[in-house]
Amino acid sequence: MKRLLATSILAFSALSAQAAESQVNIYSFRQPFLIKPILEQFTKETGIKTKVVFAKKGLIQRLKREGELSPADLVLTSNFSKLLELKDSGLTQPYQLTSGLSNNIAPQFRDSANHWLALTKRVRNVYSSKDRAGKLGALKYEDLAKVEYKGRICTRSGKHPYNLGLIASMIAHDGEAQTEQWLRGVKANLARKPQGNDRAQVKAIKEGLCDVSLGNSYYYGKMIKDSKQKAWADAVYLNFPNQKGRGSHINVSGAVMAKHAPHKVAAQKLLDFLASDKAQGLYAKLNMEYPVNPKVKPSKLVQSWGEFKADNIALEKIAENRQKALKLVDKVGFDL
């Protein structure tokens, strides 16, 4: 009888463990329209359910408050800075570098200690007025500091993660002193105080407030598909800077394994799926981003923007210079 009872307890424990692993809890900075179709496909293929908490802000603070009791297994971020902040805050643990992850995501886009990985790529482009600036095929980021652009540039805050990443990459390539000189030159060329988001800068070009702006490429696709913003997109060219040199700066979205993940096995399966050809294809289609998996092509709309050379600097090199970039933005009073 005792043997039967023990066997029943073991069987029940196994079933409970199996049930516990049949779910992944996700904290997501990414929007529902992008993530839900991918997660639904994951559940369809694996039977593993997902629960998602969506928020633009506060998720890192929430993880800190929850501590060991946090239900989060994975955190999905919309930019590289959040990946670094999660790791630096001690809120991550290493994932298993499976053959799927190592085959589908190049080392350039992974943390060397496996605490974060990129899932999609974004290009930091330069938008130019079709009427007043034309196509800027030979443009370099460095050119934006030249006197010919005085009073012609719009941009969002220098402290935004997208711009900080670009500045950090320039420090990595050109050094801190040269980047400071460049940043002062760009500030001197601004048409107005840094403000708004990337799309607001393109709107400003349409309205004649400036002639060029910095902005991520997928916003171009979003404006094209938005009837209220299509006129903004139609007023500009999308340029890929530094094509004759190091290539255009790349930012990324990505994921981490939460430090106290209660469903680590299932979460690892989801990470492998997010890097797969199928999920990467969905990312490309839904948000017009560039897949990090080299076997997957961008959407047809994104392909229509043309091929380009990407800066192949390791994200860890950019990370090393992120704090220096932030100090430079303050030092030159870029946002003032």
Side-chain angles (χ1 to χ4, degrees), residues 246-289:
R246 63 179 181 268
S248 300
H249 170 62
I250 300 296
N251 203 320
V252 299
S253 72
V256 302
M257 181 84 75
K259 183 176 182 180
H260 303 292
H263 311 111
K264 188 175 178 181
V265 174
Q268 178 70 47
K269 290 180 180 177
L270 179 53
L271 278 182
D272 287 334
F273 178 77
L274 294 176
S276 69
D277 294 1
K278 183 170 288 184
Q280 287 284 299
L282 288 170
Y283 269 123
K285 178 182 177 182
L286 294 167
N287 205 34
M288 293 156 288
E289 295 174 288

Side-chain angles (χ1 to χ4, degrees), residues 127-194:
Y127 292 98
S128 60
S129 166
K130 288 182 177 177
D131 294 336
R132 301 182 301 279
K135 188 73 174 175
L136 303 174
L139 182 79
K140 299 184 294 183
Y141 296 114
E142 288 83 350
D143 295 335
L144 297 177
K146 292 182 177 178
V147 68
E148 67 189 81
Y149 288 105
K150 191 167 185 61
R152 302 177 66 192
I153 299 174
C154 286
T155 184
R156 69 196 311 166
S157 168
K159 294 183 179 181
H160 189 276
Y162 298 154
N163 280 342
L164 277 181
L166 172 61
I167 297 166
S169 76
M170 297 192 70
I171 293 173
H173 285 295
D174 302 330
E176 193 169 348
Q178 192 171 327
T179 301
E180 178 182 341
Q181 186 177 1
W182 172 78
L183 201 57
R184 290 186 185 280
V186 175
K187 175 178 170 55
N189 287 344
L190 293 179
R192 62 180 184 179
K193 184 178 176 180

Side-chain angles (χ1 to χ4, degrees), residues 219-237:
Y219 289 121
Y220 191 53
K222 288 186 174 182
M223 288 185 286
I224 289 173
K225 291 190 173 185
D226 187 326
S227 60
K228 295 181 180 178
Q229 299 178 2
K230 188 173 184 302
W232 306 352
D234 290 342
V236 300
Y237 287 116

